[in-house]
């Protein structure tokens, strides 16, 4: 089934934003900015796209331009604490009250996920001043500090894994929750979608209940959409429908948990990677939840 025009437009815009983030991560700030400018007007109201553009300006020392974009971020997302902290730091540096340093400590990758939303975190503004940074996964592309004096990550002390406790907190009828070394995997017992990216009433209610259990826990969530291979369609390589399902599920989880969309990363699974042998149950998403 064809996707609605708004979903298709969102997928195209966010795919372009992902290319911009990848270019920025590789040090091509001019190329990244060119991609963001080409998103207009689709990206003009997207706080994550505006934030990425602001960080590109800041990385080049263009503080006034960066601050202008962060103002626009806050106009569209008044609760965006990262943008608010960035504006305060820029103001302090401009007034001579503080020296240039990373926006937030510890710095993390600002991630733009293909489709959906942007997984956004603080990064260093000036090369040579960034501290330890997270390593991007295969599913993300981010903007990171590139200075030669970046410090290596220190080995973290041994700690008890929080995954079993998180798995217990999320467990409920209708899904299977499995703690792993890198997060908690959530698999739903039944298919969540009737077709295309349309949730069933039961699927929508189950996602909303799970979202309420996620509230206030400071989680990052990777949502992987699954599809059923259909005659004449693609049999591998993922699909736009799978990505759209991941987007719809993330929106329900974000709304019911009162989380922003920024901690969600969206993926399409290969058509051969459904969690079940039954095609109807594979009209679904699976989650990897990380505290």
């Amino acid at each position: 089934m064809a996707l609605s025009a708004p979903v298709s437009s969102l997928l195209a815009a966010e795919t372009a934003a992902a290319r911009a983030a990848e270019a920025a991560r590789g040090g091509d700030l001019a190329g990244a900015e060119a991609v963001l400018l080409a998103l207009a007007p689709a990206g003009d109201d997207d706080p994550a796209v505006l934030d990425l553009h602001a960080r590109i300006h800041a990385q080049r020392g263009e503080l006034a331009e960066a601050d202008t974009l962060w103002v626009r971020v806050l106009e569209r997302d008044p609760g965006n604490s990262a943008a608010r902290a960035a504006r305060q730091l820029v103001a302090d540096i401009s007034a001579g009250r503080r020296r240039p340093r990373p926006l937030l400590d510890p710095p993390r990758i600002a991630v733009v996920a293909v489709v959906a939303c942007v997984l956004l975190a603080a990064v260093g503004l000036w090369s040579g001043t960034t501290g330890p940074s997270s390593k991007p996964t295969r599913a993300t592309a981010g903007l990171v500090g590139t200075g030669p004096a970046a410090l290596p990550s220190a080995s973290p002390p041994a700690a008890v894994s929080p995954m079993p406790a998180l798995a217990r907190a999320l467990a409920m009828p209708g899904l299977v929750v499995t703690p792993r070394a890198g997060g908690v995997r959530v698999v739903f017992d039944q298919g969540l979608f009737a077709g295309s990216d349309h949730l069933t009433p039961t699927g929508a209610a189950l996602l909303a209940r799970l979202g309420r259990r996620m509230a206030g826990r400071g989680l990052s969530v990777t949502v992987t959409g699954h599809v059923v291979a259909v005659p004449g369609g693609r049999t591998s390589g993922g699909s736009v429908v799978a990505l759209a399902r991941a987007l719809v599920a993330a929106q329900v989880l974000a709304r019911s948990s009162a989380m922003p969309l920024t901690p969600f990363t969206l993926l399409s699974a290969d058509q051969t990677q459904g969690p079940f042998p039954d095609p109807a149950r594979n009209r679904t998403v699976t989650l990897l939840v990380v505290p």
Side-chain angles (χ1 to χ4, degrees), residues 3-4 7 12 23 29-30 42 66 75 80 83 107 115 124 133 159 178 192 211 217:
L3 296 178
S4 62
V7 171
L29 299 183
E75 288 173 349
N80 193 310
V115 185
S133 64
T178 308
L192 302 179
R217 297 183 180 274

Side-chain angles (χ1 to χ4, degrees), residues 29 41 77 199 270:
L29 299 183
D77 181 12
L199 284 167
D270 191 88

Side-chain angles (χ1 to χ4, degrees), residues 68-176:
T68 297
L69 290 172
W70 276 314
V71 169
R72 292 173 61 189
V73 170
L74 291 170
E75 288 173 349
R76 291 154 179 78
D77 181 12
N80 193 310
S81 58
R84 195 173 302 282
R87 288 206 70 213
Q88 183 60 57
L89 181 57
V90 168
D92 289 346
I93 291 170
S94 299
R97 294 189 294 269
R98 300 176 71 172
R99 297 175 59 188
R101 65 173 182 80
L103 280 177
L104 295 177
D105 191 25
R108 293 161 50 198
I109 293 172
V111 179
V112 180
V114 177
V115 185
C117 31
V118 179
L119 177 58
L120 181 61
V123 297
L125 287 181
W126 288 267
S127 50
T129 63
T130 55
S133 64
S134 301
K135 187 175 182 181
T137 70
R138 64 181 178 84
T140 62
L143 171 62
V144 298
T146 57
L151 299 177
S153 298
S155 298
V160 177
S161 171
M163 304 310 172
L166 177 59
R168 289 192 296 271
L170 299 182
M172 64 182 193
L175 48 85
V176 176

Side-chain angles (χ1 to χ4, degrees), residues 29-60:
L29 299 183
E33 184 175 34
V35 174
L36 293 180
L37 291 173
L39 281 175
D44 290 347
D45 290 323
D46 187 332
V49 172
L50 293 170
D51 182 275
L52 177 58
H53 200 172
R55 292 177 188 278
I56 291 171
H57 280 301
Q59 189 81 1
R60 295 190 302 218

Side-chain angles (χ1 to χ4, degrees), residues 177-199:
V177 182
T178 308
R180 296 183 171 185
V184 172
R185 186 169 189 252
V186 178
V187 178
F188 298 90
D189 290 344
Q190 302 297 325
L192 302 179
F193 294 86
S196 187
D197 58 343
H198 304 299
L199 284 167

